[in-house]
């Protein structure tokens, strides 16, 4: 018997720093997916400018979303990358993100501390366990990978897979469909890839589509997001990341 095809949807960079944009994306995905069938990646203190601690109004909003069924992932701590990189890591830091790969250059001890602190903060806010950990920009250095393996998080994700950190078992494979708003060139290339995905990725058992607050600033990206979610949701069931563990 073939595996049921599912869609995993997510909103990145959730927090008070981009509150209006996250609200807009949450409303959009709820409309396109027929309910709160998506995950949120929560940043505890985005760029040291928007701490969840001491913000009871936003904490209540997160708790309300979680009560409605939204999965909550820990998404780094600051999201900002302050490390100095060399070699492959320097290439990733320069070309795959704009100073956003917080966990690319951390030591194991520092990565473990930020993971644990983020988990405690968010779980205290939502009153339940978090769904897992996803590094900012989906970038993990050696220290982060070592810390993640010992963290107790049930799930992790990068650009190409979802896995169980404790064992390294891959639970889903395939590229995540996402958009980039930083430059015109990145906007065009991400829209082009999304168009290809709407044709070529329907064979995947698990499709993943992720949006970011910056996407809301570009109408053409929102149109592409609408078309992409509509295309995939017509062919598969919107699901929860946690279902991968049941399989």
């Amino acid at each position: 018997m073939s595996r049921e095809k599912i869609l995993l949807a997510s909103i990145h960079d959730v927090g008070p720093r981009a509150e209006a944009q996250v609200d807009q994306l949450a409303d959009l995905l709820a409309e396109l997916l027929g309910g709160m069938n998506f995950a949120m990646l929560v940043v505890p203190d985005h760029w040291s400018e928007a701490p969840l601690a001491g913000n009871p109004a936003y904490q209540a909003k997160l708790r309300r979303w979680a009560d409605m069924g939204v999965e909550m992932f820990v998404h780094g701590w600051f999201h900002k990358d302050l490390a100095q990189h060399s070699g492959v890591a320097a290439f990733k830091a320069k070309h795959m993100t704009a100073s956003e790969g917080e966990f690319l250059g951390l030591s194991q001890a520092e990565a473990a501390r930020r993971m644990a602190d983020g988990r405690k903060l968010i779980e205290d806010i939502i009153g339940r366990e978090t769904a897992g950990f996803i590094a900012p920009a989906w970038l993990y250095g050696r220290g982060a990978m070592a810390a993640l393996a010992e963290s107790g998080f049930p799930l992790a994700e990068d650009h190409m897979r979802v896995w169980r950190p404790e064992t390294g078992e891959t639970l889903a494979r395939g590229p995540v469909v996402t958009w980039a708003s930083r430059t015109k060139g990145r906007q065009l290339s991400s829209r082009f890839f999304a168009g290809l995905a709407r044709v070529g990725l329907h064979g995947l058992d698990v499709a993943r589509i992720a949006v970011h607050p910056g996407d809301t600033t570009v109408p053409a990206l929102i149109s592409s997001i609408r078309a992409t979610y509509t295309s995939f949701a017509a062919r598969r069931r919107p699901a929860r990341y946690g279902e991968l563990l049941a399989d």
Side-chain angles (χ1 to χ4, degrees), residues 2-8 32-33 194-207 209 226-239:
S2 61
R3 182 180 184 181
E4 179 190 18
K5 294 183 184 300
I6 61 174
L7 169 62
L8 301 178
L32 297 175
L33 302 175
L196 291 179
R198 294 196 294 270
V199 175
L201 293 185
H202 289 300
L204 292 173
D205 287 337
V206 180
I209 307 177
R226 278 188 170 275
T228 304
Y229 273 112
T230 299
S231 177
F232 278 87
R235 293 169 170 83
R236 60 186 66 226
R237 177 176 59 84

Side-chain angles (χ1 to χ4, degrees), residues 125-225:
I125 289 171
I126 64 175
R128 68 198 73 204
E129 292 185 356
T130 50
F133 178 85
I134 299 175
W138 292 288
L139 294 175
Y140 304 79
R142 290 182 181 178
M145 289 298 286
L148 190 54
E150 298 178 356
S151 67
F153 280 112
L155 289 170
E157 174 187 79
D158 64 16
H159 279 99
M160 293 303 298
R161 67 176 183 134
V162 182
W163 76 95
R164 195 189 303 260
E166 184 178 7
T167 65
E169 174 192 4
T170 296
L171 302 172
R173 291 188 184 277
V176 61
V177 183
T178 191
W179 290 263
S181 60
R182 187 154 43 105
T183 65
K184 285 284 188 182
R186 290 175 184 271
Q187 292 170 23
L188 289 171
S189 63
S190 59
R191 287 168 55 200
F192 178 73
F193 179 75
L196 291 179
R198 294 196 294 270
V199 175
L201 293 185
H202 289 300
L204 292 173
D205 287 337
V206 180
R208 294 179 292 144
I209 307 177
V211 294
H212 293 77
D215 299 339
T216 64
T217 66
V218 185
L221 293 187
I222 292 296
S223 295
S224 179
I225 288 167

